[in-house]
């Protein structure tokens, strides 16, 4: 949020003929605000909002009272993951509560909430007795099988002390932060499990935002708005990020100093790990708020070198550091490497970085994103093909960080989200109706996570909103072609985070890396989803696992969900 401030001055969702009318709302649930304004509908809806009908009764609490305290405007985190191994996506929702660390301030905080999926998109709250109800002031969550037992574990980033929740199976979690050695007392945001050293187990990277406590909070003014939330620049307290090396025995070692992370500070919010240059090692990209983005590259000595400026993704094409928040990646030009999209503050364009073998160039204006994106403040972001036409679309979760100049009714920070259609030649256009929903939705949206919630082969969206309920946006887009969904697994049965998948769909290269950490403070479906357009199968399939081993697999038919497990292919 690089803005100028002066401190001290229950039933399933109805999908079919009546889908454009939206879902029936449960009267006992406070639903996200629906805008009372009307707009011209230029095309059919792509999504319908179904949270209440799907059993999601969660209500976020930022802790906002009479004052304006900085963490209140940043909170919300979400994970979509298979907690119990039944093949569908369950949901973990991070709660805020009270940001104060004073004795008794958090006694009545609800804690984070866990919802089980019945496989068709109907959710049941199973938090009680699960051990997953951490009561820290939550920011984000990462998913990964750090102990190699086949169950997906959770790492929760908080305002104060982060938490590692080991999945014991059958929907139960044990808090093992201290014994694992991953506790952290700095305001953290997004985090990611990543095998940075290629030793076969998942290490942990944590982005840190600023050094902050309630005694250092500032009253910030933004004329003509008056008192408003501060920006990170108001505090001038950037922090280094943290890397924990997995020791393979259920414990981690903080190697931040020895690998070189402490040499560089920033205001980290988003993180994404990928092998951008094809050398077999995962690079770690950090979207920073008001300071240059970081691209950490692993050397042959195991140390990390920051190369964002050299590689072309630290600043925009004018040399400006923007208010980087969420980040997503996809191969937009079908050249066999993943491109980057970073979303920023209102008044700042998105940063679309085209990747050419590990070197990036800012393609935002020529992609058509400059005039689309800068009208709203964007946090969560997803690059995926929602209508199956073979081109990657963009979804952005939006919400202000400063009050509007003109008074408004309701939440002054609420805004509409963006749905942007992907076209050929790496170009984009805004979809109408706004946000892709027939009935306009307006909220202070933050985290955005994606996955196939109901098993129908397309990608749905979860949007976590400040101080109201979540949005569950079920995909009802008119489909323009075929699809394929691929689950890539380790021998243990856990998602193969860090594996690189490549294939051909007719004459197109389909390239994707298995990850869960992207967007903003979110973890998404690790399965690989591709819209195929007119193609009916994938051929020439190759997977490079995180430790460098490579296997080839046979042809896969479209319009199906497939599972590819390590060891079942042909070794290269």
């Amino acid at each position: 949020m690089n803005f100028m401030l002066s401190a001290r001055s229950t039933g399933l969702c109805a999908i079919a003929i009546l889908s454009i009318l939206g879902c029936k709302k449960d009267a006992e649930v406070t639903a996200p605000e629906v805008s009372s304004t009307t707009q011209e509908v230029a095309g059919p809806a792509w999504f319908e909002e179904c949270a209440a009908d799907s059993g999601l009764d969660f209500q976020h609490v930022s802790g906002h009272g009479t004052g304006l305290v900085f963490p209140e405007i940043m909170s919300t985190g979400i994970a979509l993951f298979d907690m119990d191994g039944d093949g569908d996506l369950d949901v973990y929702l991070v709660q805020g509560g009270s940001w104060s660390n004073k004795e008794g301030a958090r006694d009545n905080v609800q804690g984070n909430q866990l919802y089980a999926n019945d496989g068709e998109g109907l959710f049941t709250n199973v938090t009680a007795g699960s051990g997953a109800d951490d009561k820290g002031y939550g920011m984000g969550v990462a998913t990964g099988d750090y102990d190699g037992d086949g169950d997906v574990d959770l790492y929760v980033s908080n305002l104060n002390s982060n938490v590692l929740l080991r999945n014991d199976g059958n929907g139960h979690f044990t808090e093992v932060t201290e014994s694992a050695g991953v506790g952290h007392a700095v305001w953290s945001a997004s985090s990611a499990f990543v095998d940075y050293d290629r030793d076969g187990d998942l290490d942990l990277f944590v982005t840190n935002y600023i050094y902050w406590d309630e005694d250092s909070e500032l009253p910030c003014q933004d004329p003509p708005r008056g008192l408003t939330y501060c920006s990170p620049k108001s505090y001038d307290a950037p922090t280094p990020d943290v890397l924990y090396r997995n020791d393979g025995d259920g414990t981690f070692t903080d190697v931040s100093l020895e690998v070189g992370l402490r040499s560089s500070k920033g205001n980290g919010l988003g993180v994404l790990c990928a092998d951008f240059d094809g050398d077999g090692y995962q690079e770690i990209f950090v979207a920073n708020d008001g300071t240059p983005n970081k691209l950490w590259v692993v050397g042959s000595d195991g140390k990390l070198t920051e190369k964002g400026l050299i590689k072309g993704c630290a600043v925009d094409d004018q040399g400006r550091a923007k208010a980087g928040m969420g980040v997503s990646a996809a191969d937009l030009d079908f050249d066999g490497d993943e491109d980057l999209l970073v979303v920023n503050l209102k008044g700042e364009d998105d940063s679309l970085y085209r990747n050419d073998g590990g070197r990036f160039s800012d393609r935002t204006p020529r992609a058509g994103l400059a005039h689309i994106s800068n009208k709203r403040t964007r946090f969560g972001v997803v690059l995926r093909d929602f209508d199956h036409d073979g081109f990657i679309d963009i979804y952005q979760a939006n919400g202000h960080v400063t009050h509007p100049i003109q008074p408004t009714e309701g939440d002054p920070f609420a805004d509409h989200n963006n749905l942007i259609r992907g076209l050929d030649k790496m170009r984009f256009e805004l979809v109408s109706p706004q946000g892709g929903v027939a009935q306009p939705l307006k909220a202070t949206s933050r985290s955005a996570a994606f996955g196939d919630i109901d098993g129908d082969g397309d990608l749905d969206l979860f949007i976590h909103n400040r101080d109201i309920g979540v949005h569950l946006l079920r995909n009802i887009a008119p489909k323009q072609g075929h699809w394929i969904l691929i689950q890539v697994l380790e021998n243990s049965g856990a998602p193969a985070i860090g594996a690189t998948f490549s294939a051909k769909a007719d004459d197109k290269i389909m390239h994707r890396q298995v990850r869960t950490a992207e967007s903003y403070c979110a973890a998404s479906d690790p399965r690989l989803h591709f819209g195929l357009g007119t193609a009916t199968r994938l051929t020439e399939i190759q997977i490079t696992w995180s430790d460098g081993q490579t296997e080839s697999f046979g042809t896969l038919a479209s319009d199906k969900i497939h599972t590819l497990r390590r060891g079942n292919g042909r070794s290269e």
Side-chain angles (χ1 to χ4, degrees):
M1 298 181 301
N2 187 15
F3 42 90
M4 299 301 295
L5 293 169
S6 172
R8 303 282 187 195
S9 23
T10 171
L12 290 178
C13 191
I15 309 172
I17 300 173
L18 299 178
S19 61
I20 61 169
L21 299 178
C23 296
K24 178 183 177 182
K25 296 291 186 285
D26 186 333
E28 296 180 357
V29 177
T30 304
E33 179 182 346
V34 178
S35 174
S36 60
T37 61
T38 60
Q39 64 181 75
E40 182 180 353
V41 177
W46 289 37
F47 300 99
E48 63 174 346
E49 205 291 299
C50 303
D53 273 0
S54 298
L56 294 161
D57 56 357
F58 179 88
Q59 298 287 297
H60 179 260
V61 177
S62 72
H64 173 62
T66 56
L68 299 175
V69 182
F70 191 23
E72 299 169 357
I73 200 65
M74 306 297 292
S75 176
T76 76
I78 185 169
L80 301 183
F81 74 118
D82 186 359
M83 70 168 174
D84 47 13
D86 63 356
D88 55 42
L89 292 173
D90 308 297
V91 182
Y92 187 73
L93 296 169
V94 174
Q95 183 60 281
S98 172
W99 39 259
S100 176
N101 247 357
K102 294 180 180 177
E103 185 176 354
R106 302 190 58 80
D107 288 350
N108 297 318
V109 170
Q110 178 190 50
N112 301 340
Q113 299 293 292
L114 181 65
Y115 289 81
N117 186 353
D118 72 346
E120 296 182 349
L122 183 64
F123 293 90
T124 302
N125 192 321
V126 294
T127 310
S130 69
D133 57 339
D134 176 57
K135 295 187 177 183
Y137 190 92
M139 286 294 298
V141 57
T143 57
D145 178 18
Y146 82 92
D147 54 2
D149 65 353
D151 298 318
V152 180
D153 310 297
L154 299 170
Y155 186 76
V156 181
S157 54
N158 288 321
L159 176 63
N160 294 304
S161 182
N162 299 341
V163 169
L164 178 62
L165 300 175
R166 185 188 67 214
N167 190 336
D168 303 322
N170 299 317
H172 187 269
F173 295 80
T174 299
E175 197 264 293
V176 294
T177 313
E178 184 175 353
S179 61
V182 291
H184 201 56
V186 176
W187 182 352
S188 299
S190 300
S191 55
F193 285 101
V194 54
D195 184 7
Y196 87 98
D197 52 7
R198 299 181 71 185
D199 65 352
D201 53 32
L202 292 177
D203 312 296
L204 179 61
F205 188 93
V206 184
T207 66
N208 294 320
Y209 191 39
I210 64 170
Y211 290 111
W212 182 93
D213 61 44
E214 55 193 289
D215 294 327
S216 67
E217 178 61 1
L218 302 173
C220 289
Q221 298 286 333
D222 183 20
R225 296 176 175 87
L227 187 68
T228 192
Y229 286 107
C230 296
S231 89
K233 288 190 173 183
S234 305
Y235 303 89
D236 191 23
T239 69
D241 298 322
V242 174
L243 177 63
Y244 296 103
R245 184 189 65 217
N246 192 331
D247 296 327
D249 58 0
T251 67
F252 293 79
T253 298
D254 184 344
V255 294
S256 307
L257 181 61
E258 66 184 74
V259 302
L261 270 181
R262 298 279 176 84
S263 65
S264 181
K265 295 181 180 179
N267 304 121
L269 286 180
V271 65
L272 187 145
C273 305
D275 180 11
F276 291 113
D277 57 10
D279 68 350
Y281 285 89
Q282 297 277 299
E283 286 81 59
I284 302 170
F285 178 85
V286 179
N288 281 310
D289 186 357
T291 55
N293 301 323
K294 307 293 183 187
L295 183 67
W296 293 101
V297 178
V298 183
S300 58
D301 57 359
K303 294 186 181 297
L304 301 183
T305 303
E306 203 291 296
K307 295 188 176 182
L309 193 60
I310 295 172
K311 296 287 190 178
C313 55
V315 294
D316 70 5
D317 58 357
Q318 303 298 312
R320 297 171 297 190
K322 295 179 180 176
M325 299 181 197
V327 57
S328 189
D331 184 5
L332 299 175
D333 50 5
F334 306 103
D335 65 348
D337 52 35
E338 290 190 292
D339 310 293
L340 272 171
L341 177 64
V342 184
V343 294
N344 305 302
L345 186 73
K346 182 179 180 180
E348 298 179 341
D349 303 343
D350 287 335
S351 297
L352 177 63
Y353 297 110
R354 178 176 178 174
N355 181 8
D356 289 305
R359 294 192 175 274
F360 297 87
S361 57
D362 189 341
R363 304 285 291 225
T364 309
R366 70 185 69 182
L369 286 176
H371 72 284
I372 292 175
S373 59
N374 63 14
K375 299 177 176 63
R376 306 177 190 278
T377 293
R378 294 87 65 202
F379 276 79
V381 59
V382 175
L383 282 172
R384 291 299 183 272
D385 185 354
F386 297 112
D387 64 350
H388 302 168
D389 65 351
F391 298 105
I392 300 295
D393 309 305
I394 304 171
Y395 186 89
Q396 297 174 337
N398 306 326
H400 299 296
V401 292
T402 57
H403 294 81
I405 295 176
Q406 298 297 326
T408 60
E409 294 183 2
D411 180 0
F413 303 99
D415 202 355
H416 299 280
N417 296 333
N418 287 338
L419 175 63
I420 304 168
R421 177 189 288 110
L423 308 172
D424 64 351
K425 299 181 181 179
M426 207 170 176
R427 297 176 300 118
F428 297 89
E429 65 179 10
L430 188 66
V431 172
S432 182
Q434 183 71 44
V437 289
Q439 189 174 14
L441 296 169
K442 193 174 183 182
T444 305
S445 298
R446 293 295 181 251
S447 300
F450 61 87
D452 182 9
I453 293 297
D454 47 13
D456 62 356
D458 54 28
L459 291 181
D460 311 297
L461 290 165
F462 264 90
I463 313 301
H464 202 339
N465 304 305
R466 175 184 183 256
D467 280 333
I468 56 171
V470 297
H471 289 150
L472 169 52
L473 300 184
R474 201 182 293 264
N475 189 332
I476 58 169
K479 301 305 187 288
Q480 307 300 315
H482 300 282
W483 59 272
I484 196 166
L485 189 63
I486 304 166
Q487 187 167 235
V488 182
L489 301 178
E490 295 286 357
N491 286 326
S492 66
I497 292 177
T500 300
F501 176 95
S502 64
K504 284 284 191 71
D506 292 342
D507 60 345
K508 276 186 178 179
I509 296 173
M510 310 303 284
H511 179 89
R512 187 76 51 78
Q513 297 184 30
V514 180
R515 69 173 68 90
T516 61
E518 58 184 289
S519 188
Y520 171 78
C521 291
S524 291
D525 191 346
R527 296 175 296 181
L528 305 178
H529 177 275
F530 298 97
L532 300 180
T534 59
T536 58
R537 60 180 183 168
L538 290 183
T539 61
E540 300 180 37
I541 295 167
Q542 187 176 79
I543 295 176
T544 302
W545 306 96
S546 65
D547 60 4
Q549 294 184 15
T550 300
E551 292 181 71
S552 296
F553 292 82
T555 298
L556 298 180
S558 67
D559 305 319
K560 292 183 179 180
I561 301 174
H562 300 270
T563 298
L564 302 180
R565 188 184 292 262
R566 184 196 278 255
N568 289 350
R570 184 177 67 254
S571 297
E572 297 291 311

